[in-house]
Amino acid sequence: MVKGVQIHSKVAQQAQNELFTDGALEFLAALHRTFEATRQSLLVAREDAQRKFDSGVSLDFPSETAHIRAEPSWHCAPPASGLEDRRVEITGPTDRKMVINALNSGAKTFMADFEDSSAPTFANMVNGQINLRDAVRRNIDFDAGGKQYKLAANPAVLIVRPRGWHLDEPRITIDNAPISGSIFDFAFFFYHNANELVKAGRGPYFYLPKMEHYLEARLWNDIFNFSQSYISMPHGTIRATVLIETLPAAFQMEEILFELRNHSSGLNCGRWDYIFSFIKKRRADRSAVLPDRKDVTMTVGFMDSYVRLLIQTCHRRKVAAMGGMSAQIPIKDDPKANEVAMAKVRADKLREVTAGHDGTWIAHPLINQIARQVFDDNMLGPNQYHVLRQDVKVAAADLLNTKVPGQITEHGVRENVETSLAYTSAWIGGNGCIPLNYLMEDAATAEITRVQLWQWVHYGARLDSGRPVTLEYIDELVKELAPGIKKLAPGVNEQHVQVAAKYLKAQVRKQWPSEFLTSDLMPYLAIADGVDPAFQKASL
């Protein structure tokens, strides 16, 4: 065992034995000891920024980096092998069956997700790493239930999304401190697979989530340079696409690209987390109260502005401007309802490609054909970097525009309560994405439901019927809907539902909503994995 490194869980022992080699743990420890203090300082800076927003300071483009935005001559690295054409990217967790099905889906790339579509049980995290290691080496085939799962001859290009900077990994401590979930996910994938990927003509490619400042992008770039040097890999081999999914990051897109310019493969519109962040960052602003979740579409003012600015920014700097995820999934038992849902997917993808996006996301293999057809018909080359969108003029006020047509309805409140309870229960039970009402819900969509309920209660919002959204009203709905959650979310037990109900009722009573439900509830997973409860503090 490497000095100072302690592993506090015995789950998935075979995977641990294969993953936690001395060399890998030494690399992990080097990253932690070099960069953890910077991560912590950046998380404190987030808190400082939020206090300013709460006091009435408005978000704006940073004055100290105006020279970076004004300088037209700098560009990002050219597309790496396999990332020239990204017209359809499929996303999903890292369980073995999902990895094979996604790589075989016909999509151009597969974003293997350790973040919002994965519940970070230790088994999920370490087994996921083994699955990706085996996929990289084309050694992932297996049989289950009489069916053979076998990797295709020309699978999608693999991209990995580690957890965000805010999440700790409590099952491993280094020098008696928990490590970063981001660094854990990155370190083991990079150490075990980077050279193998290069040998295969690809490279270590990543998606980077939930950043709120360009200095957080600088931290990733420093980690990339350190890691490449550590294994004697040329700098610039790594590529990373940043999800613009927080409101502060929308004001710093140029700066984020600049910090990562030698490793950048573009930006992505992380739409669901962006809506969540829009509400959370403006929690002290009564004018930012939004209507039902279904009404906050990509065509409303603040969402459309952020999309147009992202496309313009990326193409100015010669990198991919990736579209986001339609939440609809196929409806197998109702052809008419399925056609309506798939029509929404087509319309969303058409909006993206005509706006100038270079690709889009899907969550289900059966949607690949729809998305691919839309992009094939409207994007004849590998990308649209030539669509410079010089017509776009987006001001700070456009990104902060709270005019969203719609109302708060009884159906919207009920749906939010039901989704919050179902997803939170499933997450505690180890499942990070669930189909619900023919939509694929993950942590980001569940976060919208949580902060919307808080916002409506906090500001005394009223339904279209005139009824106020009160604590008592939310409590009534929780009591009514909780008994049915186990039918909606397979694998959920009564204890999971009780924790989810207690958590939601506590959240709507807080002065401010918690930063992330995943941070709040991580101790439940850690304790279930064998971590000493004395070292875990749950939000409840």
Side-chain angles (χ1 to χ4, degrees), residues 29-203:
L31 287 172
H32 173 83
R33 289 166 178 152
T34 306
F35 297 109
E36 176 63 9
T38 303
R39 179 179 81 106
Q40 293 297 336
S41 69
L42 291 170
L43 293 177
V44 171
R46 288 185 181 184
E47 296 175 1
D48 292 341
Q50 185 63 62
R51 281 191 284 272
K52 291 178 182 176
F53 304 150
D54 292 345
S55 71
V57 176
S58 186
L59 284 98
D60 206 345
F61 300 97
S63 58
E64 76 272 14
T65 52
H67 63 288
I68 292 173
R69 298 191 299 275
E71 176 53 59
S73 63
W74 65 268
H75 298 122
C76 296
S81 174
L83 298 180
E84 303 89 348
D85 186 336
R86 301 168 63 183
R87 64 189 61 215
V88 181
E89 299 189 326
I90 190 168
T91 75
T94 56
D95 65 270
R96 206 165 185 88
K97 179 180 172 183
M98 176 69 203
V99 169
I100 293 177
N101 287 342
L103 289 171
N104 290 349
S105 67
K108 290 290 187 177
T109 75
F110 165 45
M111 188 200 76
D113 189 20
F114 288 106
E115 206 225 3
D116 273 3
S117 66
S118 289
T121 66
F122 210 43
N124 285 347
M125 296 298 97
V126 296
N127 284 326
Q129 290 280 353
I130 296 299
N131 294 336
L132 297 187
R133 180 205 65 182
D134 291 349
V136 168
R137 290 159 178 77
R138 298 191 61 85
N139 189 33
I140 194 174
D141 302 354
F142 74 104
D143 294 336
K147 184 175 180 181
Q148 186 179 57
Y149 294 89
K150 185 179 177 65
L151 199 61
N154 187 29
V157 174
L158 181 62
I159 307 176
V160 173
R161 176 164 72 170
R163 283 167 281 180
W165 283 131
H166 60 287
L167 272 174
D168 289 342
E169 175 43 79
R171 279 76 53 120
I172 294 185
T173 57
I174 296 177
D175 305 330
N176 297 314
I179 65 172
S180 157
S182 307
I183 288 178
F184 176 97
D185 299 337
F186 166 81
F188 287 110
F189 180 78
F190 181 84
Y191 183 85
H192 287 294
N193 301 295
N195 284 320
E196 200 70 30
L197 285 162
V198 171
K199 273 192 233 172
R202 298 298 188 221

